[in-house]
Amino acid sequence: DSATALLEPVPKPWPTPPTYFETNKFTYPFQEFVDTYGVPRYKEANPALFTAVTFPFLFGVMYGDIGHGFIIFLGGLMLVLSERSMENKKMDEMSAGIFSARYMFLLMGAFGVYAGIVYNDFFAIGLNWFGSEWEWKDGLDTVDGTTANMTKGCSYGDASCIYPFGVDPAWHISSNELLFFNSMKMKLSVIIGIIQMTVGICLKGLNALYFEEQLDFFFEFIPMLIFDMAFFGYMVVLIFMKWMIDWDARMYSATCNSDHDLYPKCLDGTYTTADMCPLDYGGSGDGCQPPNLITTLMNMALMPGTVDEPLYPGQAGIQVVLLLLAVACVPVILLAKPLMIRSRMNAEHGNANGSFSENPLIDEKDGYGVVVDHGNQGGGGHGEGGGHGEGGGHEEEHDFSEIVIHQAIETIEFVLGMVSNTASYLRLWALSLAHTELATVFWEKAMLSTINSGNPVAIVAGYSIFAGVTFAVLIVMDVLECFLHALRLHWVEFQNKFFKADGYKFTPLSFKRILLAAWRRLCASASAAASASDTQQGFDLPCDLPSSGACTGGAPADDGVPDFHRREGGRVSAAAPCTRRVASPPSSTYPRTRPPDHQTRPTYQERGLSPNNIRSGVAGAWRLLIGLLIVRLAGMAR
């Protein structure tokens, strides 16, 4: 086997290649967001591709206002249009960071305007873009609590009478405005969150397919996706079903009126909603009254088979099946992968003792993505040197227990994380509600009250207060708040579904960097020698070494290479190289330096036991021993 003798097996785990992504002006800030959390593995799905769209979108959901979003958009547009004139200017760290994120701010403002159009918010004022479909017949004389009527020719549920885009402006002047927007924004937050988390789980499956990790695909991705869809995906389906059902028609069918079959018997009040509802879906309302979705989902887990207010026939049975699927996925995620790995490890033992090849140069990958090394490279429960040593069984038990513990942690984190992460997305609703309410308070207290007074001086003063508070709170503080919350949703709720974040960046070979690092080490060594030695012997070093010991001369020039010239006013002078006579360490000892405060155990150098001193001491001891021996022999001769 002379051919195989030229090769040497490398023990696993093999070093992974570095990661490199080519970015441009647009993608750079989003890649920096991801790299701040962790660098992607080599060829792993890069979250920055999705972050470039979802980050400004989630920011816009929380910051939705046409006026405020347009201000952010104008700021980003100004930075984009002035990039040629600002690229060559020297900026501090904060200014450079803001300038590098100019396209991100542009998108944040654009999505803020888009969400503001959906909410129909312009500095907390509703805009009647397309004409409202609701009206109060008494106009300004309408009494509080009066129900609005639809415009002429419109009826509830008529598609031609729906506001074309966004929220009807009539909701902004209604007494139940907060109740309506709370319900809408809360449900939208849950839908957006579940969709983004499901995309993260799908990316986990794509990673497993790409890296041919079949154990991860079949025993992690698939049960995780089933668990997600059986409970949280079902929640999204219920939300859309509740939105699409004409509840006025259902509730009317269960009302005692002349169109009902039980009229006039139902007038005596003995008939319940379930008795009068013609749907017969079960529950207290028989399907004719809108359900509380939170109660429905809680009962799905706590009281299987019980639905108080069903949306469709057979809902109780379907929810029991979905609950059993979700519960069955938990032990699969917890146990299937460790047991499969255990069976692979047992098969590996059999292969090492059986008729398989003993060539350690070929690693075979079984059908489940587990690498089998035939027991010839050590580890995996084998003794040192690849044989079945005495401690091999204990090593295998130890490795398997680590796998089980790791899988248990991952299972608990996923199951509980799906619940907590879904609740975490409610910050989209909370931040959007806070932004709207603050804008409403600023408008009503600072502007509307002064406008109603009719005093020009008061109006100017009110506008000044309104503009200052709006800029300080909503344009500065709230932008930062929504920015950080959107960043957290990506780092924690989205990326932890698939992102390993344990890669490392590719660093290209650079002789300039190597020379610069070597020069800095040389200067540091010379500084330490100059400050520690008491002798006057010295040597010439082409850099300026002040009394503090810092190496300030010989700094790198603009091209990164030390210039060895004295700098004056930030520019390289044409003078001769500067030199300074510094003390050189004596030839017999190393530089004697004081150990740092945390180092309590002195080294042999600090005791003066340099190699030269040791040799001198040994020679002196031998001379003393020989002298004593001669004296002893002379005494015996007498």
Side-chain angles (χ1 to χ4, degrees):
D1 294 319
S2 58
T4 59
L6 298 175
L7 301 176
E8 180 182 357
V10 178
K12 290 186 177 181
W14 294 335
T16 57
T19 305
Y20 173 74
F21 294 108
E22 186 174 352
T23 59
N24 52 33
K25 299 175 183 178
F26 176 79
T27 59
Y28 171 77
F30 302 106
Q31 188 62 57
E32 285 297 306
F33 280 172
V34 174
D35 291 346
T36 303
Y37 179 84
V39 179
R41 285 183 179 180
Y42 180 66
K43 292 189 177 182
E44 181 186 16
N46 185 12
L49 176 65
F50 308 93
T51 304
V53 177
T54 57
F55 177 83
F57 174 73
L58 293 185
F59 174 87
V61 171
M62 292 182 282
Y63 197 74
D65 188 284
I66 300 173
H68 301 149
F70 189 67
I71 294 175
I72 305 300
F73 177 81
L74 287 180
L77 183 63
M78 181 187 68
L79 292 175
V80 170
L81 295 178
S82 60
E83 66 178 20
R84 289 188 177 180
S85 60
M86 296 182 65
E87 277 182 344
N88 297 325
K89 290 184 178 179
K90 291 185 178 180
M91 295 178 283
D92 55 34
E93 185 177 358
M94 180 177 293
S95 300
I98 294 175
F99 178 72
S100 65
R102 55 194 179 276
Y103 289 97
M104 183 186 65
F105 286 116
L106 187 71
L107 283 180
M108 288 164 54
F111 278 106
V113 172
Y114 170 77
I117 296 174
V118 173
Y119 303 152
N120 201 349
D121 263 341
F122 180 78
F123 293 109
I125 303 173
L127 300 178
N128 195 4
W129 299 91
F130 310 104
S132 177
E133 304 298 337
W134 299 92
E135 62 180 3
W136 285 270
K137 295 181 179 180
D138 295 334
L140 297 177
D141 298 328
T142 302
V143 180
D144 289 345
T146 304
T147 303
N149 302 309
M150 299 202 73
T151 55
K152 293 181 179 179
C154 290
S155 60
Y156 184 82
D158 187 356
S160 62
C161 296
I162 296 176
Y163 198 72
F165 188 82
V167 177
D168 194 297
W171 287 105
H172 285 277
I173 57 175
S174 62
S175 58
N176 56 344
E177 172 194 6
L178 187 60
L179 182 64
F180 170 78
F181 278 100
N182 264 348
S183 176
M184 182 192 72
K185 292 182 178 181
M186 184 185 298
K187 293 180 174 65
L188 282 176
S189 301
V190 172
I191 292 171
I192 292 171
I194 292 175
I195 290 175
Q196 188 175 30
M197 289 190 296
T198 304
V199 171
I201 296 174
C202 293
L203 289 175
K204 179 184 182 68
L206 293 177
N207 278 336
L209 285 177
Y210 181 82
F211 291 108
E212 299 181 359
E213 297 172 345
Q214 298 185 23
L215 282 178
D216 290 349
F217 183 81
F218 288 108
F219 301 120
E220 285 189 353
F221 162 66
I222 291 181
M224 285 179 178
L225 187 63
I226 294 174
F227 181 88
D228 175 37
M229 290 291 99
F231 195 83
F232 301 94
Y234 179 68
M235 184 193 308
V236 176
V237 173
L238 291 182
I239 291 174
F240 278 103
M241 288 188 66
K242 186 177 180 180
W243 279 344
M244 292 186 295
I245 292 175
D246 187 353
W247 290 107
D248 277 5
R250 284 197 180 187
M251 295 174 70
Y252 182 80
S253 65
T255 304
C256 185
N257 52 64
S258 58
D259 297 329
H260 202 280
D261 295 338
L262 296 178
Y263 187 84
K265 297 180 181 180
C266 57
L267 293 177
D268 59 3
T270 59
Y271 291 90
T272 63
T273 303
D275 297 332
M276 301 182 64
C277 181
L279 299 179
D280 196 23
Y281 290 169
S284 60
D286 224 15
C288 285
Q289 57 188 13
N292 186 318
L293 294 183
I294 297 178
T295 303
T296 300
L297 293 170
M298 290 178 62
N299 290 339
M300 177 179 174
L302 301 178
M303 293 186 293
T306 302
V307 181
D308 187 37
E309 297 167 344
L311 286 165
Y312 58 90
Q315 182 175 348
I318 292 177
Q319 289 186 175
V320 170
V321 173
L322 293 176
L323 180 62
L324 291 176
L325 282 175
V327 173
C329 288
V330 177
V332 175
I333 301 173
L334 176 63
L335 300 174
K337 182 178 176 180
L339 292 177
M340 289 301 301
I341 293 177
R342 180 64 178 266
S343 66
R344 297 302 98 191
M345 293 168 66
N346 293 336
E348 181 183 345
H349 272 284
N351 294 345
N353 296 325
S355 59
F356 287 91
S357 170
E358 296 183 356
N359 187 355
L361 306 177
I362 303 175
D363 282 336
E364 295 181 359
K365 184 176 288 187
D366 66 7
Y368 296 95
V370 177
V371 177
V372 182
D373 60 3
H374 303 306
N376 291 317
Q377 296 188 28
H382 294 59
E384 191 176 349
H388 296 276
E390 257 183 47
H394 297 290
E395 279 189 29
E396 181 177 338
E397 292 295 332
H398 179 67
D399 294 341
F400 181 71
S401 64
E402 287 184 352
I403 294 172
V404 173
I405 293 173
H406 172 78
Q407 195 67 22
I409 293 173
E410 186 171 350
T411 304
I412 296 172
E413 182 181 1
F414 172 77
V415 175
L416 297 182
M418 285 298 299
V419 179
S420 63
N421 294 161
T422 303
S424 182
Y425 274 95
L426 292 177
R427 71 185 67 239
L428 298 175
W429 154 63
L431 269 293
S432 176
L433 180 65
H435 183 94
T436 302
E437 293 304 310
L438 284 173
T440 302
V441 169
F442 295 159
W443 166 256
E444 291 181 352
K445 301 303 180 181
M447 285 296 298
L448 194 60
S449 59
T450 56
I451 291 175
N452 291 334
S453 68
N455 188 339
V457 178
I459 293 175
V460 172
Y463 174 76
S464 301
I465 296 174
F466 172 75
V469 174
T470 298
F471 179 81
V473 177
L474 297 178
I475 305 301
V476 178
M477 293 176 58
D478 201 39
V479 166
L480 180 61
E481 186 178 13
C482 295
F483 183 95
L484 294 177
H485 280 283
L487 188 60
R488 178 242 154 78
L489 288 176
H490 284 80
W491 279 0
V492 179
E493 278 70 30
F494 174 57
Q495 292 180 181
N496 70 353
K497 299 294 182 294
F498 68 99
F499 190 40
K500 299 299 183 182
D502 56 358
Y504 60 98
K505 288 185 178 181
F506 168 73
T507 303
L509 176 63
S510 173
F511 289 105
K512 294 180 180 179
R513 187 179 294 108
I514 294 173
L515 292 174
L516 181 58
W519 174 246
R520 287 174 176 170
R521 287 195 297 268
L522 177 61
C523 288
S525 300
S527 300
S531 59
S533 178
D534 297 327
T535 63
Q536 297 300 322
Q537 300 175 350
F539 61 93
D540 291 334
L541 183 69
C543 61
D544 185 19
L545 295 174
S547 57
S548 62
C551 186
T552 59
D558 296 336
D559 59 354
V561 180
D563 51 67
F564 306 128
H565 285 71
R566 189 184 303 277
R567 289 179 177 266
E568 297 177 357
R571 307 182 70 178
V572 179
S573 170
C578 63
T579 61
R580 178 176 176 178
R581 192 96 173 155
V582 298
S584 61
S587 58
S588 60
T589 59
Y590 287 116
R592 303 179 65 178
T593 58
R594 183 178 180 182
D597 294 337
H598 66 274
Q599 183 176 344
T600 58
R601 186 175 181 179
T603 63
Y604 74 92
Q605 295 180 358
E606 295 159 349
R607 299 191 188 104
L609 299 180
S610 66
N612 290 333
N613 286 344
I614 293 174
R615 285 194 295 269
S616 301
V618 171
W622 275 109
R623 287 194 296 267
L624 179 61
L625 182 60
I626 293 172
L628 292 175
L629 183 59
I630 293 173
V631 172
R632 181 63 175 172
L633 292 175
M636 292 175 60
R638 292 177 183 173

